[in-house]
Amino acid sequence: MTVRTRFAPSPTGYLHLGGARTALFSWAYARRFGGTFILRIEDTDLERSTPEAVQAILDGMQWLGLDHDEGPFYQMQRMDRYREVIGQMLVAGTAYHCYASPEEVEAMRERQRAAGDKPRYDGTWRPEPGKTLPAIPEGRQPVVRFKNPLDGDVSWDDAVKGTITISNRELDDFVIARPDGTPTYNFCVVVDDWDMKITHVIRGDDHVNNTPRQINVLKALGGTLPVYGHVPMILGADGEKLSKRHGAVSVMEYPAQGYLRDAMLNYLARLGWSHGDDEIFSLGQFCSWFDLDHLTKSPAQFNPEKLAWLNNHYIKATDNAELAQLAMPELERDGAQLDDGPSLPEVIGLLKDRANTVNELADAAMLFYREPRPDPTLVTQHLTDAARVALKQFATAAADIDWTREAISALMKQVLADCQLKMPQLAMPLRLLVTGQLQTPSVDAVLFLFGRDKVLSRLQAGLA
């Protein structure tokens, strides 16, 4: 059997973390077994589907690198196929026209609720041998309902949850086509999976209630059932459903905030799946390891601190030049004078170990590409008379040394010894006058990157 998986989002909003994880699992399963990954856009909700949402999904998939082998297919472009299948089902007797109005359906459900029964369509228009149907109301367009089995169970071995069994008595004859002829979600999904020969359906467990209905339709069509695997939802740290306050934003917000693709993929992979104690692994390793047996039955929890930790790991492992390209737009937006400063990749190399995001990295790098504006109060506090003497000695000697980190460090130690000062008494005012701030990486590394001319110029201005 050739594995065929699909990711089938509805373009009613952005691609969020839950959808991205589903896409990743479906993509990885196909890649693991040399199969086919299909992208399908389920855009039949005309009121809520937008071109912008479609593009947001495509952009998110592209950023994550989850390339599809077939598609994207759009359900709105497959209407003729759905109508063809509905026509075949009407002829076969597995579907029928129902002329009950929405008000009549709601009234029957109210009666059932009042009697303590589960509200469901009561089969008024369901054809049965020997049954006389009501007269067709004049001018009323019917819906098409699926003729669900009245007895027995629907059962499947869910790849995540285990065996699930639902009595057909819990299911009613649901609508598969509206009065205007447009098919409904649960019907379109079945025809798509059937036509596209989907072998494995990996999706969120909010679809569990749809599955028995879809199985019954697929059986009525004579199709082969795929393997279903329903992945538990992602919760916030407080145990509540993930929402915007937990960081449930568009996937495309994460590159904008400075997260790396590999970090996001690694993090998503561990939300509900595990491979022993491995926490950090490449996408290639994930594809070679991924299976459905190790998907957890329990909801995963989104932990932004864990994501930041992973991102820091990947930042440290990423080439400085590549990080510089990612940080450059942020620096330029902040007004960085990149032509009047040290090599950006070298700056990145100095700073990246401390950064959790590329944006943090860009913020830290700004000290090299803007004019220093030290707080006058801090200057008064740290630029003591003793510090002035030491800084002047440092500046005089710095004009003639080899401009290396080692030489700068040695000079600082010599000045401290000569002036009988401790390191903070020299390093603090030195940082303030050269960078405008008290906190920086190792001061000798910072001075080296600034270059001799800029360091001496700023010291001269600060000591004037």
Side-chain angles (χ1 to χ4, degrees):
M1 177 184 65
T2 300
V3 168
R4 291 176 63 85
T5 67
R6 47 73 157 185
F7 176 54
S10 298
T12 55
Y14 47 71
L15 178 61
H16 52 76
L17 289 179
R21 182 188 63 170
T22 297
L24 173 62
F25 288 174
S26 300
W27 176 87
Y29 196 75
R31 294 292 173 264
R32 163 84 187 272
F33 293 101
T36 300
F37 175 63
I38 297 164
L39 177 61
R40 190 168 78 215
I41 307 296
E42 298 185 340
D43 56 350
T44 55
D45 188 342
L46 298 180
E47 292 184 2
R48 299 173 62 209
S49 298
T50 66
E52 293 77 15
V54 171
Q55 191 58 51
I57 290 168
L58 297 177
D59 289 344
M61 295 289 285
Q62 182 178 24
W63 178 64
L64 291 169
L66 304 181
D67 54 313
H68 50 274
D69 304 301
E70 295 180 14
F73 298 107
Y74 296 86
Q75 288 186 329
M76 287 304 296
Q77 296 174 6
R78 289 175 45 79
M79 287 293 138
D80 289 346
R81 172 58 177 158
Y82 304 139
R83 293 188 179 102
E84 175 190 12
V85 176
I86 287 172
Q88 294 169 353
M89 294 177 71
L90 287 168
V91 171
T94 55
Y96 61 93
H97 287 116
C98 170
Y99 291 87
S101 69
E103 293 77 18
E104 290 170 342
V105 173
E106 184 55 34
M108 71 176 66
R109 288 174 175 165
E110 283 298 328
R111 291 193 296 271
Q112 291 163 345
R113 291 188 189 99
D117 298 328
K118 180 178 179 179
R120 60 204 301 273
Y121 177 68
D122 66 2
T124 298
W125 289 91
R126 179 182 173 117
E128 298 290 0
K131 177 180 179 180
T132 300
L133 298 178
I136 296 175
E138 185 177 351
R140 184 178 295 174
Q141 293 298 313
V143 300
V144 178
R145 290 185 181 272
F146 172 62
K147 197 174 185 181
N148 196 77
L150 296 176
D151 300 308
D153 297 323
V154 187
S155 185
W156 74 96
D157 292 324
D158 195 276
V160 180
K161 296 179 173 296
T163 300
I164 298 177
T165 301
I166 306 292
S167 170
N168 276 316
R169 294 184 179 277
E170 295 292 313
L171 309 173
D172 61 2
D173 292 355
F174 69 96
V175 174
I176 62 174
R178 303 177 182 90
D180 63 0
T182 57
T184 58
Y185 166 79
N186 271 316
F187 177 74
C188 295
V189 169
V190 173
V191 176
D192 289 341
D193 286 346
W194 184 35
D195 284 353
M196 297 174 189
K197 298 179 174 59
I198 300 302
T199 62
H200 295 77
V201 174
I202 303 168
R203 59 188 179 187
D205 63 3
D206 53 331
H207 288 281
V208 167
N209 289 336
N210 294 326
T211 302
R213 294 176 172 85
Q214 294 173 9
I215 287 176
N216 279 342
V217 174
L218 192 53
K219 286 181 176 179
L221 294 174
T224 302
L225 296 186
V227 173
Y228 292 96
H230 292 89
V231 184
M233 66 177 62
I234 302 173
L235 304 178
D238 55 3
E240 297 296 321
K241 184 178 179 181
L242 201 60
S243 64
K244 287 186 178 179
R245 65 190 176 89
H246 299 108
V249 295
S250 166
V251 164
M252 294 309 294
E253 284 293 309
Y254 288 94
Q257 293 171 11
Y259 288 88
L260 300 181
R261 183 191 71 166
D262 288 348
M264 177 56 73
L265 289 170
N266 193 155
Y267 183 72
L268 288 174
R270 288 288 286 112
L271 281 178
W273 175 86
S274 62
H275 184 267
D277 295 327
D278 293 295
E279 290 285 350
I280 298 175
F281 40 80
S282 69
L283 188 58
Q285 288 174 310
F286 176 57
C287 287
S288 68
W289 294 338
F290 182 72
D291 56 23
L292 304 182
D293 296 336
H294 290 87
L295 289 171
T296 179
K297 297 179 181 180
S298 304
Q301 286 195 323
F302 176 69
N303 184 335
E305 290 78 20
K306 179 72 171 292
L307 175 58
W309 171 78
L310 266 176
N311 207 50
N312 171 258
H313 168 83
Y314 280 97
I315 283 175
K316 289 190 288 189
T318 300
D319 179 74
N320 294 339
E322 182 179 342
L323 286 174
Q325 289 299 313
L326 293 173
M328 193 178 297
E330 188 75 15
L331 283 159
E332 290 174 339
R333 277 193 295 270
D334 289 342
Q337 302 169 26
L338 295 175
D339 294 335
D340 188 33
S343 158
L344 183 55
E346 290 187 45
V347 170
I348 294 297
L350 175 63
L351 302 173
K352 68 180 185 179
D353 284 4
R354 301 184 179 192
N356 285 335
T357 68
V358 174
N359 290 7
E360 286 183 15
L361 194 52
D363 288 344
M366 277 298 292
L367 75 91
F368 289 96
Y369 303 104
R370 65 184 173 205
E371 290 299 317
R373 295 183 178 86
D375 184 330
T377 302
L378 292 177
V379 172
T380 300
Q381 177 184 345
H382 292 282
L383 192 56
T384 63
D385 290 341
R388 282 181 174 275
V389 171
L391 287 172
K392 287 179 179 178
Q393 179 180 334
F394 176 86
T396 299
D400 297 321
I401 64 170
D402 291 334
W403 198 253
T404 64
R405 284 190 61 176
E406 294 76 15
I408 295 168
S409 177
L411 175 57
M412 291 181 66
K413 291 175 182 177
Q414 182 62 53
V415 170
L416 291 174
D418 292 345
C419 298
Q420 297 185 344
L421 298 176
K422 295 183 178 179
M423 179 61 78
Q425 293 174 288
L426 174 61
M428 291 298 200
L430 190 51
R431 284 189 173 99
L432 264 180
L433 298 186
V434 175
T435 72
Q437 58 192 56
L438 289 176
Q439 300 295 325
T440 72
S442 179
V443 66
D444 56 350
V446 170
L447 297 180
F448 168 71
L449 284 180
F450 266 111
R452 187 198 317 266
D453 291 345
K454 185 162 289 187
V455 169
L456 296 182
S457 172
R458 291 184 176 182
L459 284 178
Q460 183 179 8
L463 293 169

